Structure formats: C-alpha cells, structure tokens
Amino acid sequence: MKKVLLSLMSFLSVISLSSCSRLAHIEDTNGDDNYELCELGEKDLYSARTSSLVYSCIRSSTKEKANISCEKLSGVMEVYEFKASSDKVYKFEVDYNVERGNSKMFIFANGESYKDIDINEKKIYEISNLSGKVKFRVAGESATIKINIVKK
C-alpha cells in the first residue's frame, strides 16, 4: 500500500510540474506568407523566464557567436546573452531566417524589448547605453528558423 501511495504521489508531482510548460506546438493560423505572432503576447515575450517546445533543434554558442537551427519552435527561447556596460557600443551581425510558421526575434534588456531583429535579413545591429544582461530572444509559433549571431 505504501509503494502504491508513493508511486501515485510521484506521478502526480511529475504531472503537476510538467503542466506548467507547453505540451503541444502553437499552430500557425495566419498563413504561410505572414510571419507575425498570433498567440504569443507581450507577457510571454517579456517574461523573466522563457518557455519553449522544440523539435529537431541544434544550438551552439561561444562568447563571440551563437547559431541555432530549429525544425519547429513554439514559445520563447534565449539565443545569446552577454553582459553590457553602458559606456560601450556593441555590434552584432545577425542573420535571422524564418522558413515557415510565425516568429519574432528581438534584443531584450532591463525587462523590455530594446530592438526588433528583421526577418530574413543579414544585418549589423548596434547596442549602446545599456548595462547588465542583454539577451537575444526568439519567439515562435510552429516556426522553422535559422539564426547566426556574430559579435563584431
């Protein structure tokens, strides 16, 4: 009886902990030619903690660069992070490609979006007048994405 009760409590604990995260991908409901997010809102994007569900995702990063390629991303994930000093200017070359689904990539600092990253473009972004942790975040709704970030 004790084993059954312990097993039941363990099972319920696992279920309750896993219910906090998404168990299914967020479907793309606005068509193939529209990459704008439909379901994820500001609360999801700018939360202190991120949550995502991915399928076939490869990530690599160093202090100088980050690469990510996901077959299917739903939710919000951090791609790259660095510590900024307000007296310095930082430059990053970002290549952000969305093949399908909905997605948004942005630079996040001090609890808010600092700058949006353009979809399907390779571009250099300057970051200045920020101190503390600066993060590159990507949000997706069944999104197939490839991102390369290189510090210049």
Side-chain angles (χ1 to χ4, degrees):
M1 182 68 174
K2 216 176 194 183
K3 280 186 175 183
V4 172
L5 187 57
L6 185 60
S7 295
L8 182 62
M9 287 177 53
S10 296
F11 177 74
L12 291 175
S13 295
V14 169
I15 294 296
S16 67
L17 290 174
S18 66
S19 67
C20 296
S21 62
R22 297 187 188 279
L23 296 176
H25 282 281
I26 304 167
E27 292 305 314
D28 175 8
T29 57
N30 59 351
D32 294 339
D33 296 335
N34 187 340
Y35 298 124
E36 290 185 34
L37 297 174
C38 292
E39 301 295 323
L40 295 172
E42 287 188 13
K43 182 181 175 188
D44 302 303
L45 299 176
Y46 309 133
S47 173
R49 302 182 97 206
T50 60
S51 174
S52 61
L53 177 65
V54 295
Y55 171 76
S56 187
C57 191
I58 300 170
R59 298 176 66 159
S60 66
S61 64
T62 65
K63 278 186 154 186
E64 303 299 318
K65 65 182 179 177
N67 298 305
I68 185 167
S69 176
C70 292
E71 185 63 33
K72 199 169 196 180
L73 163 70
S74 289
V76 182
M77 71 170 22
E78 292 175 356
V79 179
Y80 182 79
E81 179 182 319
F82 71 99
K83 188 165 174 125
S85 177
S86 61
D87 60 340
K88 292 185 180 178
V89 176
Y90 302 90
K91 292 183 182 181
F92 292 90
E93 181 180 77
V94 181
D95 188 6
Y96 167 45
N97 293 290
V98 180
E99 293 178 23
R100 73 181 154 243
N102 303 328
S103 186
K104 176 180 181 172
M105 186 175 175
F106 57 99
I107 300 168
F108 181 76
N110 302 319
E112 59 188 33
S113 178
Y114 173 75
K115 191 176 289 190
D116 287 346
I117 306 297
D118 295 330
I119 292 177
N120 295 334
E121 282 193 37
K122 187 177 191 177
K123 196 171 174 180
I124 293 181
Y125 293 87
E126 282 191 9
I127 299 171
S128 59
N129 300 320
L130 288 178
S131 61
K133 287 185 180 178
V134 177
K135 303 171 183 182
F136 286 79
R137 284 187 172 180
V138 64
E141 297 169 350
S142 293
T144 300
I145 58 166
K146 289 183 182 167
I147 301 168
N148 295 305
I149 301 170
V150 179
K151 188 175 182 181
K152 296 291 182 181

